[in-house]
mmCIF file of all heavy atoms in Angstrom:
data_model
loop_
_atom_site.group_PDB
_atom_site.id
_atom_site.type_symbol
_atom_site.label_atom_id
_atom_site.label_comp_id
_atom_site.label_asym_id
_atom_site.label_seq_id
_atom_site.Cartn_x
_atom_site.Cartn_y
_atom_site.Cartn_z
ATOM 1 N N LYS A 1 140.944 -99.472 12.732
ATOM 2 C CA LYS A 1 140.411 -99.350 14.050
ATOM 3 C C LYS A 1 138.952 -99.885 14.102
ATOM 4 O O LYS A 1 138.386 -99.951 15.198
ATOM 5 C CB LYS A 1 140.500 -97.934 14.514
ATOM 6 C CG LYS A 1 141.920 -97.408 14.787
ATOM 7 C CD LYS A 1 141.937 -96.048 15.379
ATOM 8 C CE LYS A 1 143.420 -95.575 15.632
ATOM 9 N NZ LYS A 1 143.496 -94.216 16.307
ATOM 10 N N CYS A 2 138.367 -100.137 12.979
ATOM 11 C CA CYS A 2 137.024 -100.544 12.920
ATOM 12 C C CYS A 2 136.827 -101.980 12.408
ATOM 13 O O CYS A 2 135.884 -102.408 11.736
ATOM 14 C CB CYS A 2 136.219 -99.603 12.049
ATOM 15 S SG CYS A 2 136.210 -97.918 12.606
ATOM 16 N N TYR A 3 137.868 -102.893 12.836
ATOM 17 C CA TYR A 3 137.744 -104.267 12.417
ATOM 18 C C TYR A 3 136.458 -104.934 12.829
ATOM 19 O O TYR A 3 136.042 -105.931 12.164
ATOM 20 C CB TYR A 3 139.025 -105.008 12.984
ATOM 21 C CG TYR A 3 138.963 -105.006 14.540
ATOM 22 C CD1 TYR A 3 138.360 -106.043 15.264
ATOM 23 C CD2 TYR A 3 139.568 -103.924 15.253
ATOM 24 C CE1 TYR A 3 138.345 -105.935 16.664
ATOM 25 C CE2 TYR A 3 139.519 -103.835 16.649
ATOM 26 C CZ TYR A 3 138.904 -104.866 17.355
ATOM 27 O OH TYR A 3 138.854 -104.822 18.685
ATOM 28 N N TRP A 4 135.903 -104.562 13.919
ATOM 29 C CA TRP A 4 134.790 -105.178 14.512
ATOM 30 C C TRP A 4 133.440 -104.845 13.738
ATOM 31 O O TRP A 4 132.362 -105.476 13.938
ATOM 32 C CB TRP A 4 134.558 -104.692 15.931
ATOM 33 C CG TRP A 4 134.668 -103.180 16.059
ATOM 34 C CD1 TRP A 4 135.801 -102.413 16.192
ATOM 35 C CD2 TRP A 4 133.577 -102.251 15.961
ATOM 36 N NE1 TRP A 4 135.521 -101.077 16.219
ATOM 37 C CE2 TRP A 4 134.155 -100.969 16.082
ATOM 38 C CE3 TRP A 4 132.201 -102.399 15.793
ATOM 39 C CZ2 TRP A 4 133.349 -99.809 16.022
ATOM 40 C CZ3 TRP A 4 131.413 -101.212 15.745
ATOM 41 C CH2 TRP A 4 131.993 -99.946 15.834
ATOM 42 N N LEU A 5 133.606 -103.930 12.763
ATOM 43 C CA LEU A 5 132.362 -103.454 12.144
ATOM 44 C C LEU A 5 131.823 -104.385 11.083
ATOM 45 O O LEU A 5 130.607 -104.446 10.825
ATOM 46 C CB LEU A 5 132.674 -102.057 11.498
ATOM 47 C CG LEU A 5 131.487 -101.179 11.136
ATOM 48 C CD1 LEU A 5 130.608 -100.804 12.298
ATOM 49 C CD2 LEU A 5 132.003 -99.845 10.427
ATOM 50 N N THR A 6 132.737 -105.107 10.462
ATOM 51 C CA THR A 6 132.321 -105.997 9.333
ATOM 52 C C THR A 6 131.252 -107.006 9.677
ATOM 53 O O THR A 6 130.195 -107.103 9.025
ATOM 54 C CB THR A 6 133.497 -106.813 8.845
ATOM 55 O OG1 THR A 6 134.518 -105.857 8.380
ATOM 56 C CG2 THR A 6 133.128 -107.740 7.720
ATOM 57 N N ASN A 7 131.391 -107.598 10.876
ATOM 58 C CA ASN A 7 130.397 -108.607 11.258
ATOM 59 C C ASN A 7 129.369 -108.035 12.228
ATOM 60 O O ASN A 7 128.420 -108.769 12.597
ATOM 61 C CB ASN A 7 131.045 -109.818 11.846
ATOM 62 C CG ASN A 7 131.413 -110.813 10.751
ATOM 63 O OD1 ASN A 7 131.773 -110.457 9.653
ATOM 64 N ND2 ASN A 7 131.214 -112.118 11.044
ATOM 65 N N TYR A 8 129.501 -106.761 12.622
ATOM 66 C CA TYR A 8 128.500 -106.180 13.475
ATOM 67 C C TYR A 8 127.155 -106.181 12.731
ATOM 68 O O TYR A 8 126.106 -106.328 13.297
ATOM 69 C CB TYR A 8 128.877 -104.736 13.893
ATOM 70 C CG TYR A 8 127.920 -104.075 14.805
ATOM 71 C CD1 TYR A 8 128.151 -104.129 16.203
ATOM 72 C CD2 TYR A 8 126.818 -103.335 14.345
ATOM 73 C CE1 TYR A 8 127.248 -103.504 17.019
ATOM 74 C CE2 TYR A 8 125.949 -102.791 15.226
ATOM 75 C CZ TYR A 8 126.214 -102.862 16.595
ATOM 76 O OH TYR A 8 125.340 -102.247 17.445
ATOM 77 N N PHE A 9 127.263 -105.996 11.411
ATOM 78 C CA PHE A 9 126.009 -105.880 10.589
ATOM 79 C C PHE A 9 125.697 -107.189 9.910
ATOM 80 O O PHE A 9 125.042 -107.141 8.884
ATOM 81 C CB PHE A 9 126.160 -104.739 9.580
ATOM 82 C CG PHE A 9 126.139 -103.369 10.207
ATOM 83 C CD1 PHE A 9 127.251 -102.570 10.161
ATOM 84 C CD2 PHE A 9 125.017 -102.945 10.922
ATOM 85 C CE1 PHE A 9 127.240 -101.304 10.774
ATOM 86 C CE2 PHE A 9 125.008 -101.667 11.483
ATOM 87 C CZ PHE A 9 126.108 -100.896 11.440
ATOM 88 N N GLU A 10 126.233 -108.263 10.433
ATOM 89 C CA GLU A 10 125.915 -109.596 9.836
ATOM 90 C C GLU A 10 124.438 -109.844 9.650
ATOM 91 O O GLU A 10 123.974 -110.244 8.576
ATOM 92 C CB GLU A 10 126.508 -110.709 10.747
ATOM 93 C CG GLU A 10 126.091 -112.096 10.281
ATOM 94 C CD GLU A 10 126.251 -113.158 11.385
ATOM 95 O OE1 GLU A 10 126.604 -112.796 12.595
ATOM 96 O OE2 GLU A 10 126.039 -114.359 11.181
ATOM 97 N N THR A 11 123.663 -109.496 10.636
ATOM 98 C CA THR A 11 122.217 -109.792 10.602
ATOM 99 C C THR A 11 121.535 -109.094 9.476
ATOM 100 O O THR A 11 120.790 -109.756 8.699
ATOM 101 C CB THR A 11 121.527 -109.457 11.974
ATOM 102 O OG1 THR A 11 122.098 -110.242 12.964
ATOM 103 C CG2 THR A 11 120.052 -109.583 11.943
ATOM 104 N N ILE A 12 121.790 -107.808 9.272
ATOM 105 C CA ILE A 12 121.082 -107.084 8.285
ATOM 106 C C ILE A 12 121.551 -107.533 6.861
ATOM 107 O O ILE A 12 120.747 -107.588 5.895
ATOM 108 C CB ILE A 12 121.139 -105.540 8.426
ATOM 109 C CG1 ILE A 12 120.151 -104.854 7.568
ATOM 110 C CG2 ILE A 12 122.610 -105.043 8.209
ATOM 111 C CD1 ILE A 12 118.733 -105.047 7.986
ATOM 112 N N PHE A 13 122.819 -107.844 6.732
ATOM 113 C CA PHE A 13 123.344 -108.314 5.438
ATOM 114 C C PHE A 13 122.756 -109.684 5.071
ATOM 115 O O PHE A 13 122.430 -109.981 3.942
ATOM 116 C CB PHE A 13 124.842 -108.352 5.416
ATOM 117 C CG PHE A 13 125.506 -107.022 5.215
ATOM 118 C CD1 PHE A 13 126.421 -106.489 5.989
ATOM 119 C CD2 PHE A 13 125.167 -106.301 4.007
ATOM 120 C CE1 PHE A 13 126.976 -105.269 5.777
ATOM 121 C CE2 PHE A 13 125.758 -105.078 3.673
ATOM 122 C CZ PHE A 13 126.683 -104.572 4.619
ATOM 123 N N VAL A 14 122.651 -110.564 6.084
ATOM 124 C CA VAL A 14 122.095 -111.933 5.854
ATOM 125 C C VAL A 14 120.649 -111.824 5.348
ATOM 126 O O VAL A 14 120.153 -112.689 4.619
ATOM 127 C CB VAL A 14 122.178 -112.777 7.124
ATOM 128 C CG1 VAL A 14 121.357 -114.007 6.906
ATOM 129 C CG2 VAL A 14 123.595 -113.191 7.313
ATOM 130 N N GLN A 15 119.912 -110.736 5.724
ATOM 131 C CA GLN A 15 118.549 -110.637 5.276
ATOM 132 C C GLN A 15 118.386 -110.422 3.802
ATOM 133 O O GLN A 15 117.254 -110.406 3.284
ATOM 134 C CB GLN A 15 117.870 -109.463 6.034
ATOM 135 C CG GLN A 15 117.593 -109.817 7.527
ATOM 136 C CD GLN A 15 116.863 -108.789 8.316
ATOM 137 O OE1 GLN A 15 116.528 -107.728 7.792
ATOM 138 N NE2 GLN A 15 116.682 -109.038 9.547
ATOM 139 N N CYS A 16 119.479 -110.283 3.156
ATOM 140 C CA CYS A 16 119.438 -110.350 1.639
ATOM 141 C C CYS A 16 118.841 -111.718 1.137
ATOM 142 O O CYS A 16 118.321 -111.834 0.046
ATOM 143 C CB CYS A 16 120.804 -110.125 1.081
ATOM 144 S SG CYS A 16 120.811 -109.740 -0.665
ATOM 145 N N TRP A 17 118.893 -112.693 2.056
ATOM 146 C CA TRP A 17 118.298 -114.047 1.673
ATOM 147 C C TRP A 17 116.936 -113.956 1.190
ATOM 148 O O TRP A 17 116.512 -114.658 0.342
ATOM 149 C CB TRP A 17 118.383 -115.009 2.883
ATOM 150 C CG TRP A 17 117.300 -114.780 3.898
ATOM 151 C CD1 TRP A 17 117.489 -114.116 5.060
ATOM 152 C CD2 TRP A 17 115.987 -115.227 3.872
ATOM 153 N NE1 TRP A 17 116.317 -114.087 5.765
ATOM 154 C CE2 TRP A 17 115.354 -114.769 5.020
ATOM 155 C CE3 TRP A 17 115.225 -115.958 2.947
ATOM 156 C CZ2 TRP A 17 114.004 -115.002 5.301
ATOM 157 C CZ3 TRP A 17 113.843 -116.180 3.209
ATOM 158 C CH2 TRP A 17 113.282 -115.728 4.384
ATOM 159 N N TYR A 18 116.124 -113.004 1.756
ATOM 160 C CA TYR A 18 114.696 -112.997 1.554
ATOM 161 C C TYR A 18 114.368 -112.505 0.060
ATOM 162 O O TYR A 18 113.731 -113.274 -0.679
ATOM 163 C CB TYR A 18 113.889 -112.155 2.577
ATOM 164 C CG TYR A 18 112.443 -112.058 2.242
ATOM 165 C CD1 TYR A 18 111.660 -113.180 2.130
ATOM 166 C CD2 TYR A 18 111.915 -110.828 1.979
ATOM 167 C CE1 TYR A 18 110.297 -113.063 1.830
ATOM 168 C CE2 TYR A 18 110.565 -110.717 1.644
ATOM 169 C CZ TYR A 18 109.762 -111.873 1.570
ATOM 170 O OH TYR A 18 108.461 -111.712 1.248
ATOM 171 N N PRO A 19 114.747 -111.309 -0.310
ATOM 172 C CA PRO A 19 114.400 -110.904 -1.706
ATOM 173 C C PRO A 19 115.069 -111.767 -2.732
ATOM 174 O O PRO A 19 114.479 -111.983 -3.775
ATOM 175 C CB PRO A 19 114.911 -109.435 -1.738
ATOM 176 C CG PRO A 19 115.951 -109.281 -0.638
ATOM 177 C CD PRO A 19 115.391 -110.209 0.512
ATOM 178 N N MET A 20 116.293 -112.243 -2.382
ATOM 179 C CA MET A 20 116.954 -113.137 -3.342
ATOM 180 C C MET A 20 116.218 -114.402 -3.521
ATOM 181 O O MET A 20 116.071 -114.904 -4.643
ATOM 182 C CB MET A 20 118.387 -113.383 -2.795
ATOM 183 C CG MET A 20 119.255 -114.246 -3.706
ATOM 184 S SD MET A 20 120.852 -114.550 -2.934
ATOM 185 C CE MET A 20 120.401 -115.981 -1.923
ATOM 186 N N THR A 21 115.678 -114.979 -2.431
ATOM 187 C CA THR A 21 115.004 -116.263 -2.504
ATOM 188 C C THR A 21 113.611 -116.108 -3.240
ATOM 189 O O THR A 21 113.286 -116.987 -4.009
ATOM 190 C CB THR A 21 114.798 -116.935 -1.091
ATOM 191 O OG1 THR A 21 116.069 -117.009 -0.560
ATOM 192 C CG2 THR A 21 114.158 -118.219 -1.218
ATOM 193 N N VAL A 22 112.924 -115.080 -2.968
ATOM 194 C CA VAL A 22 111.661 -114.762 -3.681
ATOM 195 C C VAL A 22 111.959 -114.644 -5.185
ATOM 196 O O VAL A 22 111.244 -115.196 -6.040
ATOM 197 C CB VAL A 22 110.975 -113.535 -3.120
ATOM 198 C CG1 VAL A 22 109.708 -113.197 -4.001
ATOM 199 C CG2 VAL A 22 110.487 -113.770 -1.679
ATOM 200 N N ALA A 23 112.978 -113.883 -5.510
ATOM 201 C CA ALA A 23 113.242 -113.654 -6.988
ATOM 202 C C ALA A 23 113.676 -114.982 -7.626
ATOM 203 O O ALA A 23 113.333 -115.252 -8.756
ATOM 204 C CB ALA A 23 114.450 -112.652 -7.077
ATOM 205 N N THR A 24 114.326 -115.838 -6.890
ATOM 206 C CA THR A 24 114.796 -117.122 -7.421
ATOM 207 C C THR A 24 113.579 -118.036 -7.621
ATOM 208 O O THR A 24 113.425 -118.662 -8.685
ATOM 209 C CB THR A 24 115.787 -117.757 -6.432
ATOM 210 O OG1 THR A 24 116.922 -116.993 -6.315
ATOM 211 C CG2 THR A 24 116.255 -119.179 -6.954
ATOM 212 N N ASN A 25 112.750 -118.161 -6.607
ATOM 213 C CA ASN A 25 111.459 -118.990 -6.683
ATOM 214 C C ASN A 25 110.632 -118.502 -7.862
ATOM 215 O O ASN A 25 110.162 -119.322 -8.679
ATOM 216 C CB ASN A 25 110.761 -118.855 -5.417
ATOM 217 C CG ASN A 25 109.482 -119.660 -5.334
ATOM 218 O OD1 ASN A 25 109.306 -120.614 -5.976
ATOM 219 N ND2 ASN A 25 108.590 -119.289 -4.424
ATOM 220 N N SER A 26 110.468 -117.172 -7.974
ATOM 221 C CA SER A 26 109.631 -116.625 -9.090
ATOM 222 C C SER A 26 110.259 -116.938 -10.413
ATOM 223 O O SER A 26 109.505 -117.284 -11.359
ATOM 224 C CB SER A 26 109.558 -115.090 -8.864
ATOM 225 O OG SER A 26 108.946 -114.469 -9.947
ATOM 226 N N ARG A 27 111.550 -116.841 -10.546
ATOM 227 C CA ARG A 27 112.182 -117.089 -11.840
ATOM 228 C C ARG A 27 112.071 -118.555 -12.237
ATOM 229 O O ARG A 27 111.836 -118.825 -13.480
ATOM 230 C CB ARG A 27 113.698 -116.714 -11.774
ATOM 231 C CG ARG A 27 114.387 -116.810 -13.178
ATOM 232 C CD ARG A 27 115.852 -116.339 -13.045
ATOM 233 N NE ARG A 27 116.428 -116.305 -14.329
ATOM 234 C CZ ARG A 27 117.065 -117.319 -14.968
ATOM 235 N NH1 ARG A 27 117.088 -118.522 -14.366
ATOM 236 N NH2 ARG A 27 117.675 -117.160 -16.088
ATOM 237 N N TYR A 28 112.165 -119.484 -11.300
ATOM 238 C CA TYR A 28 112.005 -120.905 -11.651
ATOM 239 C C TYR A 28 110.587 -121.160 -12.095
ATOM 240 O O TYR A 28 110.322 -121.987 -13.049
ATOM 241 C CB TYR A 28 112.331 -121.773 -10.474
ATOM 242 C CG TYR A 28 113.845 -122.171 -10.455
ATOM 243 C CD1 TYR A 28 114.771 -121.337 -9.932
ATOM 244 C CD2 TYR A 28 114.251 -123.370 -11.026
ATOM 245 C CE1 TYR A 28 116.124 -121.636 -9.964
ATOM 246 C CE2 TYR A 28 115.610 -123.718 -11.042
ATOM 247 C CZ TYR A 28 116.546 -122.854 -10.498
ATOM 248 O OH TYR A 28 117.830 -123.200 -10.480
ATOM 249 N N GLN A 29 109.650 -120.493 -11.582
ATOM 250 C CA GLN A 29 108.234 -120.588 -12.017
ATOM 251 C C GLN A 29 108.071 -119.967 -13.491
ATOM 252 O O GLN A 29 107.334 -120.522 -14.317
ATOM 253 C CB GLN A 29 107.263 -120.025 -11.076
ATOM 254 C CG GLN A 29 107.176 -120.756 -9.770
ATOM 255 C CD GLN A 29 106.229 -120.220 -8.793
ATOM 256 O OE1 GLN A 29 105.049 -120.391 -8.918
ATOM 257 N NE2 GLN A 29 106.755 -119.512 -7.736
ATOM 258 N N LYS A 30 108.794 -118.920 -13.727
ATOM 259 C CA LYS A 30 108.799 -118.265 -15.036
ATOM 260 C C LYS A 30 109.330 -119.271 -16.078
ATOM 261 O O LYS A 30 108.795 -119.425 -17.204
ATOM 262 C CB LYS A 30 109.562 -116.983 -15.032
ATOM 263 C CG LYS A 30 109.568 -116.241 -16.346
ATOM 264 C CD LYS A 30 110.349 -114.941 -16.232
ATOM 265 C CE LYS A 30 110.228 -114.119 -17.481
ATOM 266 N NZ LYS A 30 110.928 -112.815 -17.387
ATOM 267 N N GLU A 31 110.401 -120.020 -15.727
ATOM 268 C CA GLU A 31 110.918 -120.999 -16.615
ATOM 269 C C GLU A 31 109.982 -122.035 -16.961
ATOM 270 O O GLU A 31 109.807 -122.504 -18.116
ATOM 271 C CB GLU A 31 112.258 -121.574 -16.013
ATOM 272 C CG GLU A 31 113.432 -120.611 -16.063
ATOM 273 C CD GLU A 31 114.745 -121.287 -15.574
ATOM 274 O OE1 GLU A 31 114.671 -122.159 -14.724
ATOM 275 O OE2 GLU A 31 115.804 -120.959 -16.128
ATOM 276 N N ALA A 32 109.271 -122.547 -15.899
ATOM 277 C CA ALA A 32 108.309 -123.587 -16.100
ATOM 278 C C ALA A 32 107.131 -123.159 -17.028
ATOM 279 O O ALA A 32 106.699 -123.943 -17.921
ATOM 280 C CB ALA A 32 107.726 -124.054 -14.729
ATOM 281 N N ILE A 33 106.650 -121.963 -16.787
ATOM 282 C CA ILE A 33 105.574 -121.432 -17.648
ATOM 283 C C ILE A 33 106.100 -121.251 -19.110
ATOM 284 O O ILE A 33 105.393 -121.625 -20.047
ATOM 285 C CB ILE A 33 104.999 -120.129 -17.086
ATOM 286 C CG1 ILE A 33 104.397 -120.325 -15.714
ATOM 287 C CG2 ILE A 33 104.024 -119.510 -18.059
ATOM 288 C CD1 ILE A 33 104.050 -119.049 -14.946
ATOM 289 N N ALA A 34 107.255 -120.750 -19.232
ATOM 290 C CA ALA A 34 107.830 -120.470 -20.595
ATOM 291 C C ALA A 34 107.997 -121.718 -21.346
ATOM 292 O O ALA A 34 107.741 -121.845 -22.541
ATOM 293 C CB ALA A 34 109.137 -119.698 -20.458
ATOM 294 N N ARG A 35 108.493 -122.789 -20.670
ATOM 295 C CA ARG A 35 108.665 -124.066 -21.353
ATOM 296 C C ARG A 35 107.388 -124.565 -21.884
ATOM 297 O O ARG A 35 107.277 -125.048 -23.031
ATOM 298 C CB ARG A 35 109.294 -125.091 -20.377
ATOM 299 C CG ARG A 35 110.743 -124.934 -20.121
ATOM 300 C CD ARG A 35 111.359 -126.217 -19.455
ATOM 301 N NE ARG A 35 110.704 -126.519 -18.247
ATOM 302 C CZ ARG A 35 111.015 -126.096 -16.995
ATOM 303 N NH1 ARG A 35 112.052 -125.238 -16.878
ATOM 304 N NH2 ARG A 35 110.372 -126.443 -15.921
ATOM 305 N N ASN A 36 106.307 -124.468 -21.084
ATOM 306 C CA ASN A 36 105.031 -124.949 -21.482
ATOM 307 C C ASN A 36 104.394 -124.137 -22.594
ATOM 308 O O ASN A 36 103.831 -124.641 -23.520
ATOM 309 C CB ASN A 36 104.066 -124.999 -20.293
ATOM 310 C CG ASN A 36 102.887 -126.008 -20.517
ATOM 311 O OD1 ASN A 36 101.936 -125.611 -21.155
ATOM 312 N ND2 ASN A 36 103.094 -127.180 -19.980
ATOM 313 N N LEU A 37 104.579 -122.795 -22.477
ATOM 314 C CA LEU A 37 104.121 -121.944 -23.621
ATOM 315 C C LEU A 37 104.820 -122.304 -24.889
ATOM 316 O O LEU A 37 104.250 -122.319 -25.975
ATOM 317 C CB LEU A 37 104.422 -120.452 -23.267
ATOM 318 C CG LEU A 37 103.393 -119.770 -22.433
ATOM 319 C CD1 LEU A 37 103.904 -118.371 -21.982
ATOM 320 C CD2 LEU A 37 102.034 -119.635 -23.114
#
């Protein structure tokens, strides 16, 4: 009866993009520093 609920919260779930992207950007910089070290 709650089929409509899955995408009701699309917006808040999509906001996972932000912490994920920061963590990704940070990790790539860690790789660059580590290679040089």
